[in-house]
């Protein structure tokens, strides 16, 4: 049965991508299998095997030609692959509506009869899961509406005898349905059975009063009064108007209970107003008979729009775009706390309200307030039922019963419903109205991926120009230069002050993170204290320690808004969020979070996705994320309040990740750095590590600075040492020099004494690559002296190799040979450093090549190539092959050189 349920979840969404999570929620609901959504591909495979077995799928094409396609994000049922009876029913029912609207009532009845003939008992009988249950209820409601529409047309075309039997059966099955009772009374009246019609009213009223405690609705009371009056025009209408023209009185019929018949002459009847014919408006929804509307008075509950709304034009257009009048449309807006979701949705709803004659409702779901969420969906549904004047099921505590009452109450209504601050998709689903053409606008701090929406709008903070403009309008002209009166000198002074104020306002908008909530709080504070200059508030906000404290006024607080979002997270995601506050870079990825927490990268990626869905993290690219400036301040604050051991472990993990990346991306490889953590970490090779560092961009200097600030001086030195090759290779000399020169005065506090000479050798390499040989020689000489005193042969060899290399480039061959003789003496003890040994062999080969000792040069080059391959150093390998090729050419062996 689960396979059938999954197939239904795809069939009834033809041409739409359905995610694994949606399928899991729709088929298993609150009792998912232990394997989670990994079970979905197994079920899809079984279904494909059955459905595609007799198809024409060529061998080897597999799922690519299946009726169920695999697409990015989930699965999709191809509409052209099979004919679904629900689609046939919807098309045929649409024919009925079109025929009715054009005045062809017989054609409308015929179309609706064919549509209803497609139903065989209860829809989706026995299919398990929340999705099937929801569709079962929806189809049952739509079936009932089609019956009502068909019967209404039968009555208006004089075919009342066909309707009576069917209506008696339906009213028995739905004893509280006033719309069906109304139609039955009209049919009985048309059949000259006024007493029976009045009995129907009496029975329905008795049930409503005794069992529900409410009186019948306005439409049922109107029909009752019309039966008492014998009002044929009101009850039996015709094809050219909603209730039709007056019908001639029936001479053989009995007198009406109120005696409106006299001497066989008909009493003049009031004529219903004519309706001008015009093409239907696709955004206005289907036309319904007046008796189908049940709202006693259309309610407008939208909050008052606040002034100073800025920007969001593109997002506003997405929300107000035309909807499909044949279905309920859902549009979702998500974004971080304080980004302006409610303001945007209220603005869009205000622009749309004239399209929704049955009301514009607004409900605060308090999805991120623990003290309000417990009120639950039952409370919201009872409130919504009262809003549309429906009492059915209002006193029930059962969610399903209340939801069914809400769908029944709204089936004939065209509503605009705003659901503000939803926490989850399941909080929203029972609240969706059933009336065709209705629109639901939902806001949430989370991306409600489990909610079917035709448009999703993810709000980011305002652009800097929009943020500055908003703040300028709130603060007013006084802070921006005055009114322009006065003499020329005063005007010049005011102009200068205005320029300074504009710069300060822009800086203030930046410090507010361009977040509308923060901008409004800051604006209110300045309005409240006119003596404050914008510049003074800028100075107060520049201090991260107090920035969030400054962004609060009365009951509005940026930190409080963030705290609510943080409190909604599971414990593991709270820990992940705290760890992100310790990240040394603004942009980060799953490797960064994994290193901060000691997690596996896939686990860290899931946490980042969850935090992004909660709008606490922003996606920058497919693999990179970042914290909004103010969210980062809050993350650092909650991280500082955590256990000290948690922060220390996180910092050690992330800085050691950068050590591994820097060393792995270097052509030297990790073996050339004998102290500190060893290995490539999560990086497969130097290309992967290089690409990862490329993503960090100019933040690498900040990483080293934060390591120093956090007291991780050894890690700072190891990162800087590893980055020398990476940065010089890219020509980023200033960054390389800045990091090394920053660390040199601090080396006395480092525990790794090798760094005293290693960082000086790094400066020697930097200046030598730039052609500044004198400075390079000075730094290598210092490094050599320090390493000799420390007895560090590895660093002696590195410094001597540097001196020999650049002496050779300057043409000082004898000096170069002396240095390389020293290097070759030391090389025998460098068995752990294949790159350095290989590099020494390459330089030695160069020396022999210059001296004409070709056999020795050839031997050195071959050894260097073998060591480069062992070290996994592509640059050293390629460089040595190039030199060997040159040697072969000098020996007159062009064929060997070409190889």
């Amino acid at each position: 049965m689960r396979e059938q349920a999954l197939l239904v979840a795809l069939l009834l969404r033809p041409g739409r991508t359905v995610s694994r999570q949606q399928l899991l929620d729709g088929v298993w609901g609150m009792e998912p299998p232990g394997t989670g959504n990994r079970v979905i591909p197994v079920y899809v495979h079984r279904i494909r095997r059955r459905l595609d077995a007799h198809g024409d799928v060529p061998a080897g094409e597999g799922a690519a030609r299946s009726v169920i396609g695999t697409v990015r994000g989930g699965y999709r049922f191809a509409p052209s692959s099979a004919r679904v009876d629900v689609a046939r029913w919807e098309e045929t029912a649409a024919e009925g509506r079109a025929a009715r609207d054009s005045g062809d009532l017989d054609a409308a009845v015929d179309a609706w009869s064919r549509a209803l003939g497609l139903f065989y008992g209860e829809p989706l009988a026995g299919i398990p899961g929340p999705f099937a249950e929801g569709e079962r209820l929806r189809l049952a409601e739509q079936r009932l509406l089609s019956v009502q529409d068909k019967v209404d047309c039968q009555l208006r075309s004089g075919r009342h005898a066909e309707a009576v039997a069917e209506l008696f059966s339906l009213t028995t099955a739905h004893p509280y349905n006033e719309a069906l009772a109304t139609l039955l009374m009209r049919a009985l009246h048309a059949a000259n059975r006024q007493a029976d019609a009045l009995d129907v009213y009496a029975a329905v009223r008795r049930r409503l009063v005794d069992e529900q405690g409410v009186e019948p609705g306005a439409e049922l009371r109107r029909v009752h009064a019309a039966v008492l009056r014998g009002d044929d025009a009101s009850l039996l209408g015709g094809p050219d108007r909603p209730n039709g023209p007056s019908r001639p009185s029936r001479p053989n019929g009995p007198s009406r209970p109120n005696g409106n018949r006299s001497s066989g002459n008909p009493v003049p009847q009031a004529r219903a107003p004519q309706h001008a014919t015009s093409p239907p408006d696709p955004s206005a929804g289907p036309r319904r008979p007046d008796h189908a509307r049940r709202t006693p008075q259309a309610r407008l509950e939208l909050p008052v729009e606040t002034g100073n709304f800025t920007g969001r034009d593109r997002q506003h257009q997405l929300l107000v775009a035309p909807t499909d009048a044949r279905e309920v449309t859902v549009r979702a807006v998500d974004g971080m706390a304080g980004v302006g979701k409610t303001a945007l949705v209220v603005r869009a709803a205000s622009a749309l309200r004239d399209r929704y004659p049955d009301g514009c409702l607004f409900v605060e779901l308090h999805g991120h307030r623990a003290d309000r969420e417990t009120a639950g969906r039952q409370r919201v549904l009872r409130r919504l039922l009262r809003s549309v004047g429906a009492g059915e099921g209002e006193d029930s505590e059962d969610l399903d019963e209340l939801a069914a009452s809400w769908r029944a109450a709204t089936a004939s209504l065209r509503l605009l419903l705003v659901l503000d601050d939803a926490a989850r998709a399941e909080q929203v689903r029972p609240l969706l109205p059933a009336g065709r053409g209705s629109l639901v606008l939902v806001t949430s701090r989370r991306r409600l991926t489990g909610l079917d929406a035709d448009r999703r709008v993810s709000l980011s903070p305002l652009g800097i120009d929009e943020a500055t403009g908003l703040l300028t309008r709130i603060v007013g002209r006084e802070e921006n230069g005055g009114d322009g009166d006065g003499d020329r000198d005063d005007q010049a002074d005011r102009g200068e002050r205005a320029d300074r104020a504009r710069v300060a306002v822009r800086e203030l908008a930046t410090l507010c993170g361009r977040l509308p909530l923060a901008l409004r709080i800051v604006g209110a504070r300045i309005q409240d204290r006119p003596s404050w200059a914008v510049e003074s508030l800028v100075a107060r906000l520049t201090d991260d320690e107090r920035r969030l404290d400054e962004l609060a006024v009365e009951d509005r607080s940026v930190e409080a808004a963030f705290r609510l979002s943080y409190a909604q997270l599971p414990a593991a995601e709270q820990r992940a969020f705290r760890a992100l506050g310790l990240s040394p870079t603004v942009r980060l990825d799953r490797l960064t979070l994994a290193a901060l927490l000691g997690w596996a990268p896939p686990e860290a990626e899931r946490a980042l996705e969850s935090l992004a869905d909660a709008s606490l993290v922003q996606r920058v690219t497919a693999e990179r994320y970042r914290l909004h400036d103010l969210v980062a301040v809050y993350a650092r604050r909650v991280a500082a309040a955590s256990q000290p051991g948690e922060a220390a472990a996180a910092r050690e993990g992330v800085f050691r990740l950068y050590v591994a990346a820097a060393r792995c991306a270097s052509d030297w490889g990790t073996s050339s750095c004998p102290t500190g953590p060893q290995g490539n970490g999560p990086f497969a090779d130097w290309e992967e590590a290089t690409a990862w560092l490329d993503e960090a961009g100019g933040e690498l200097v900040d990483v080293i600075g934060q390591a120093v600030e956090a007291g991780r001086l050894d890690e700072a030195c190891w990162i800087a040492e590893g980055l020398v090759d990476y940065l010089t290779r890219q020509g980023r000399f200033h960054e390389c020099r800045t990091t090394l020169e920053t660390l040199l005065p601090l080396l006395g506090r480092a525990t790794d004494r090798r760094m005293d000479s290693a960082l000086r050798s790094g400066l020697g390499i930097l200046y030598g690559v730039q052609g500044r040989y004198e400075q390079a020689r000075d730094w290598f000489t210092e490094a050599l002296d320090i390493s000799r005193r420390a007895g560090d042969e590895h660093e002696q060899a590195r410094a001597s190799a540097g001196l020999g290399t650049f002496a050779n480039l300057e043409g000082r061959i004898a000096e170069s040979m002396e240095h390389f003789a020293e290097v070759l003496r030391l090389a025998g003890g460098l068995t752990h450093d294949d790159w350095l040994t290989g590099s020494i062999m390459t330089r030695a080969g160069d020396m022999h090549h210059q001296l004409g000792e070709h056999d020795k040069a050839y031997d050195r080059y071959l050894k260097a190539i073998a060591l480069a391959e062992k070290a996994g150093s592509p640059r050293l390998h390629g460089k040595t092959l190039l030199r060997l090729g040159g040697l072969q050419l000098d020996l007159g062996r062009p064929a060997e050189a070409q190889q």
Side-chain angles (χ1 to χ4, degrees), residues 10 46 74 81 146 156 174 261 351 355 404 423 464 532 615 629 655 672 820 853 862 879:
L10 291 168
R46 292 176 184 171
S81 301
S146 293
R156 288 162 57 187
H174 304 277
R261 289 269 178 96
R355 302 185 196 175
I464 185 59
W532 276 14
S615 297
D629 292 348
F655 290 132
S672 282
F820 273 104
E853 300 172 346
L862 288 181
K879 188 165 51 177

Side-chain angles (χ1 to χ4, degrees), residues 312 333-342 368 421 443-447 457-462 512-518 548 558-559 561-562 564-565 577 611-619 626-634:
R312 311 295 195 197
V333 179
D334 63 78
M336 63 185 292
V339 80
K341 303 181 292 296
T342 303
H368 293 84
D421 193 22
T443 74
S444 177
R445 298 184 190 184
R446 302 191 65 89
R447 288 185 176 88
V457 176
S458 294
L459 288 188
S460 301
L462 296 169
C512 289
R514 299 170 284 115
L515 196 66
L517 173 61
L548 291 178
V558 171
E559 182 175 10
F562 293 161
L564 290 174
S565 294
F577 179 75
L611 291 172
D613 287 341
S615 297
L616 285 170
V617 169
Q618 299 170 332
R619 291 184 183 88
R626 63 162 292 159
L627 293 175
H628 179 268
D629 292 348
L630 294 181
V631 176
V633 173
Y634 178 69

